Amino acid sequence: MASHPQNPVRTGPVGGHPRRPAAPAHVRRQSRFGLSIVLPALILFVALLLVPFLRSLGFAFFESTLFSPEPKFVGLENFRDLFSDRVFLETWLRTLFYVGITTGVTVVLGFAWALVLNQAFTGRKVIRTATILPWILPSTVTAFLWAWIFNGQFGLLNAVLDAAGAIGAPVVWLSTPTGAMFAVILAKVWLSTPVAMSFLLAGLQSVSSEEIDAAMMDGCRAGNIIRHVILPHIFPTLVIVFVLQAMANFQQIDTILAMTRGGPARTTTVLSIEVYQKAFNEWDMGHASAIGVVWFLTLAVPTVVYLRAIFKRF
Amino acid sequence: MKRLKKLTLGACIAALCAGAAMAQDARFVGWSYSEASSKPFIENEAAKVDGVDVELIGFPWNQMVQNLILRHRSGQTTEVAQVQDRWMPMLVGMGALADLNDTLGADALADTVEPGLLAMGQSNGGQYGVPWTAASIALVGNRELMEAAGVTELPATMEDFHAALKKIKAADPEAVPFGLSTTNPNLIQVESQVFFWQFGARFFRDGAVAVDSAEAREALAFLVQLVDEGLVAKGNDRNATRALYGQGKVGFYFDPPVARGIARNLSGEGEAFDENVVVMPTPTTGNGEPPRSVVWAHFLTSLTAGSPDTEAAGKVIEHFAMKPDVQLRYWNELGLFPTTKAALAELSDDAYVANWIELARDALPDEPAAFENSAQLTQIIGEEIEAALLGIKSVDEAITDMADRLEGAL
């Protein structure tokens, strides 16, 4: 059969993909406009974040200390040092523990508090505003506040426990591994819960009240309403909040530095403190960068995989 | 007339050239210049250095060594640099410091500066720093608290020391008998090493790790015992201890000579508190080790990088560290010990100064300071001692782990 004379003639290579038809002019204009809006932010991102990040990534493959005249390429030696160092592996596991507990408690408390503040009651606005206060306070101020609360000699906690007859002698909380870890987790949870609450409260306000009313009329208990009505609705928000909190907790340094400096005896030393220590106390940029790479991968890989899976579902 | 004009012009040019040749420039980099208390003194004295325009550059203490290394590596000229004793081996090893015997003359230095203090700035026959102020980090006692507890003599042995601490605790249960730092690994390392030395232990010998020893275990076990018996407080560092000492609540603690000035301020009693502040030899263990303390000194040095005016450097160092009247003004204004023989002789009636200088003769330099990565080594030692003091590790575990980690870091 002869080809139809009015059929468009294929101009691309035989067997190749057909050339994509040119976008209409208004689409191209839109693209250019979009690019022009994004470009300044993109330039800043590249200059201020991407280039320094790649540069520090590169340092991970060099021996670079304050005393070496020029950085010396050592391949994967810095990583080999890290993974053969029991102390570093303990720090890595401790970081996962700190991030897991802090993030979990923050999200649960934030969600519970958001449920409370989503109800109509007198004084709700005042409490909502007051709840935000820990978020507004500078984190170092918060850290010193908690350090004072947990102080072994002059601390509020000891004073309260002593007055209640719960302790016979002052407890030096920040000098015990458990007490110090509990204190830094509590301080961070106190700082972060308002943020988590705000996100989740916004998510809760998008849940249809008709659905909740219908479930209640059907005799559904509060726990079941949360489980079967509210949670499925706000699940994407919950995931985002969890991921954002985990990222923030991975990067957390100021409260720990101000409260314990990673002590006692390294028991609150997490990766952020370790990088700080290597980079700005020992001036060992090679190892500090290698820890930074491990730190980044620990956070980035599960986050990307998890977020992709979640957003495919929704 | 024309000739006269030419002559006048020539004379002016010659005078200008001569003036330019006479006025030398020197850059003086130090952390004391960044501190409000010492800045006016340094400014006043810098203006008095004969024939030298001194450019003062200040960095905070904790950024000082990094800045010195960066200045050296980038070839920035630094005629005079203030250097802490513990940085000296590292800077000498890097070849960053000039031999000041060439600039100031070995004989002139020996004639002027107290020999024991001068020796602190020597290495391999070179004089790489002239001590500006020097003594040691030693034990400071509170006479009033001791007397109230019935401790009539300064404890000379570890047994006496232990007994004295118990008496203080019994007399005042709220007091901290011994304010050893138990938080902040840097302070823990510096203070605890005196006890390690006293028990005959060393962290390093001949450049190798030597801490895995019976003596080190004995020293650490003694300190752990003091913590367990409540004679050393958990969670204390030197700053907290100084405040308590000023309130008469600490029996003994480690400090450099600034202790008396700080106690004057923190006690609120001023010079009236001086009689309580007593510097004492570290108690001994009967093993022949003399009472040890840790070398503590500020040196004036000259960096080799760039093109330093060595003559100007010499004049500045001579003015600040070798002129007795300037040194005595430094002492009067800031309470920092002089280092010249003449200035020290002027203060020989002050038992506090005389005792401290006497103690400094047996002071040893901070051990990790001999290594390039001293910050890392200090951190490791401090962390492991802290772990034992707080009961996180046994003495044996702490010493074994310390040795392993130090081996890995060397």
Side-chain angles (χ1 to χ4, degrees):
Chain A
M1 190 195 281
S3 64
H4 196 284
Q6 287 177 337
N7 272 356
V9 178
R10 181 177 284 181
T11 54
V14 178
H17 293 291
R19 180 178 287 176
R20 188 185 287 179
H26 73 278
V27 174
R28 288 203 302 274
R29 267 201 308 277
Q30 273 185 349
S31 298
R32 278 200 296 272
F33 179 65
L35 189 66
S36 68
I37 289 175
V38 171
L39 198 62
L42 198 66
I43 291 169
L44 286 176
F45 169 77
V46 169
L48 300 179
L49 290 174
L50 190 64
V51 170
F53 172 72
L54 293 176
R55 200 172 147 72
S56 70
L57 202 72
F59 267 125
F61 303 97
F62 285 83
E63 181 188 302
S64 173
T65 69
L66 202 59
F67 313 104
S68 46
E70 290 297 330
K72 182 179 142 198
F73 183 75
V74 290
L76 294 172
E77 199 176 306
N78 289 336
F79 292 96
R80 270 198 294 275
D81 288 348
L82 290 186
F83 288 106
S84 61
D85 181 3
R86 179 176 52 81
V87 175
F88 171 74
L89 294 174
E90 284 171 5
T91 305
W92 188 67
L93 290 174
R94 191 180 302 116
T95 307
L96 294 180
F97 174 81
Y98 169 79
V99 171
I101 298 290
T102 310
T103 308
V105 174
T106 301
V107 173
V108 169
L109 282 182
F111 180 59
W113 197 229
L115 283 174
V116 171
L117 293 187
N118 199 34
Q119 307 302 311
F121 59 88
T122 314
R124 184 174 69 164
K125 281 185 182 171
V126 175
I127 293 181
R128 278 186 181 180
T129 309
T131 301
I132 299 297
L133 275 178
W135 188 20
I136 298 167
L137 279 175
S139 53
T140 40
V141 173
T142 302
F144 284 119
L145 192 72
W146 282 101
W148 168 67
I149 290 172
F150 281 97
N151 186 286
Q153 284 175 330
F154 321 104
L156 182 67
L157 183 60
N158 275 344
V160 171
L161 292 176
D162 189 39
I167 51 170
V171 180
V172 191
W173 301 99
L174 296 179
S175 289
T176 63
T178 315
M181 182 54 91
F182 177 73
V184 294
I185 287 176
L186 192 60
K188 185 63 176 66
V189 167
W190 195 74
L191 266 171
S192 309
T193 300
V195 191
M197 185 278 297
S198 305
F199 273 88
L200 294 168
L201 185 60
L204 282 177
Q205 285 170 352
S206 70
V207 178
S208 151
S209 57
E210 284 86 0
E211 265 186 73
I212 296 173
D213 291 343
M216 285 172 77
M217 286 177 72
D218 288 345
C220 212
R221 288 182 180 175
N224 284 330
I225 293 175
I226 292 172
R227 191 173 159 198
H228 297 295
V229 180
I230 295 176
L231 275 180
H233 266 96
I234 66 159
F235 191 68
T237 313
L238 213 54
V239 170
I240 294 289
V241 170
F242 192 89
V243 169
L244 288 177
Q245 284 300 320
M247 285 165 67
N249 291 329
F250 254 105
Q251 293 160 4
Q252 184 59 22
I253 186 166
D254 42 8
T255 50
I256 302 175
L257 210 53
M259 288 178 74
T260 64
R261 300 187 67 84
R266 295 186 61 87
T267 50
T268 56
T269 296
V270 292
L271 289 174
S272 56
I273 301 281
E274 190 71 0
V275 169
Y276 175 83
Q277 180 73 19
K278 286 277 175 213
F280 301 114
N281 192 15
E282 298 171 16
W283 294 94
D284 182 350
M285 292 301 170
H287 282 103
S289 299
I291 297 170
V293 170
V294 175
W295 182 14
F296 170 74
L297 291 177
T298 306
L299 178 65
V301 172
T303 303
V304 169
V305 170
Y306 195 56
L307 282 182
R308 282 177 70 94
I310 290 296
F311 287 111
K312 262 185 193 166
R313 269 177 59 191
F314 288 88
Chain B
M1 191 66 186
K2 244 182 184 178
R3 204 170 162 192
L4 186 66
K5 271 184 183 173
K6 275 184 184 172
L7 275 172
T8 311
L9 189 66
C12 286
I13 290 169
L16 279 172
C17 289
M22 279 169 66
Q24 295 169 296
D25 291 324
R27 278 135 286 211
F28 182 172
V29 181
W31 70 86
S32 291
Y33 183 64
S34 72
E35 293 170 358
S37 56
S38 39
K39 189 172 181 173
F41 171 84
I42 294 172
E43 277 175 342
N44 285 341
E45 294 301 330
K48 294 178 191 167
V49 181
D50 272 348
V52 181
D53 287 334
V54 183
E55 182 189 348
L56 295 166
I57 301 162
F59 294 108
W61 182 87
N62 58 357
Q63 293 170 19
M64 187 68 199
V65 70
Q66 291 85 352
N67 276 291
L68 285 183
I69 293 169
L70 290 173
R71 286 182 78 87
H72 172 69
R73 277 176 47 177
S74 59
Q76 287 186 75
T77 303
T78 308
E79 274 81 7
V80 181
Q82 184 183 9
V83 169
Q84 182 81 44
D85 54 276
R86 66 180 63 178
W87 307 333
M88 288 288 286
M90 178 181 68
L91 293 170
V92 171
M94 289 172 67
L97 303 183
D99 184 350
L100 296 171
N101 280 333
D102 301 338
T103 316
L104 295 161
D107 291 341
L109 283 165
D111 288 346
T112 314
V113 183
E114 161 69 27
L117 304 179
L118 188 64
M120 292 177 182
Q122 292 166 354
S123 177
N124 298 326
Q127 186 74 47
Y128 295 99
V130 177
W132 185 11
T133 180
S136 63
I137 296 174
L139 270 183
V140 178
N142 183 326
R143 195 186 300 277
E144 191 180 11
L145 204 59
M146 280 189 272
E147 285 174 0
V151 180
T152 50
E153 287 183 5
L154 291 176
T157 66
M158 284 295 170
E159 289 79 23
D160 295 345
F161 184 58
H162 193 182
L165 297 180
K166 283 182 175 172
K167 282 184 181 175
I168 291 172
K169 189 72 182 173
D172 183 355
E174 287 188 5
V176 176
F178 181 25
L180 181 78
S181 292
T182 50
T183 185
N184 187 337
N186 289 327
L187 290 173
I188 292 173
Q189 182 271 326
V190 170
E191 296 177 7
S192 299
Q193 76 179 336
V194 178
F195 280 84
F196 277 64
W197 291 338
Q198 219 61 71
F199 278 84
R202 296 290 185 273
F203 296 116
F204 308 97
R205 284 186 205 273
D206 302 323
V209 177
V211 76
D212 199 351
S213 66
E215 291 86 356
R217 284 176 172 76
E218 199 184 349
L220 188 53
F222 179 74
L223 295 177
V224 169
Q225 185 187 0
L226 298 185
V227 176
D228 291 346
E229 292 175 359
L231 304 174
V232 167
K234 290 180 180 177
N236 252 8
D237 68 3
R238 197 182 294 160
N239 281 331
T241 299
R242 281 169 171 169
L244 287 171
Y245 182 83
Q247 295 162 22
K249 289 291 179 189
V250 169
F252 307 94
Y253 81 108
F254 280 107
D255 218 347
V258 290
R260 188 164 72 175
I262 291 170
R264 282 176 186 171
N265 289 333
L266 294 178
S267 65
E269 295 178 28
E271 291 184 16
F273 196 79
D274 283 2
E275 60 181 346
N276 288 332
V277 185
V278 48
V279 58
M280 56 177 271
T282 307
T284 56
T285 56
N287 60 0
E289 194 86 38
R292 296 296 188 191
S293 53
V294 188
V295 167
W296 177 89
H298 300 172
F299 291 97
L300 293 184
T301 65
S302 186
L303 297 196
T304 51
S307 46
D309 183 335
T310 52
E311 195 185 333
K315 283 181 180 174
V316 175
I317 294 172
E318 190 179 1
H319 182 86
F320 278 92
M322 294 171 70
K323 287 191 172 172
D325 55 328
V326 179
Q327 289 239 298
L328 286 170
R329 281 202 291 275
Y330 200 35
W331 158 255
N332 288 329
E333 290 187 26
L334 293 148
L336 289 164
F337 285 9
T339 51
T340 56
K341 291 175 187 172
L344 284 168
E346 290 279 327
L347 301 177
S348 58
D349 290 342
D350 188 330
Y352 181 76
V353 179
N355 288 344
W356 215 312
I357 296 299
E358 183 64 30
L359 280 179
R361 292 183 207 282
D362 287 319
L364 295 176
D366 178 58
E367 284 198 62
F371 299 88
E372 258 187 7
N373 59 338
S374 61
Q376 187 186 9
L377 304 179
T378 300
Q379 186 77 13
I380 290 171
I381 295 169
E383 284 173 357
E384 294 299 337
I385 294 175
E386 184 182 24
L389 294 179
L390 300 179
I392 298 167
K393 289 183 182 179
S394 69
V395 168
D396 192 52
E397 281 173 333
I399 294 291
T400 307
D401 288 353
M402 189 192 298
D404 284 350
R405 291 178 67 193
L406 290 175
E407 292 278 4
L410 277 191

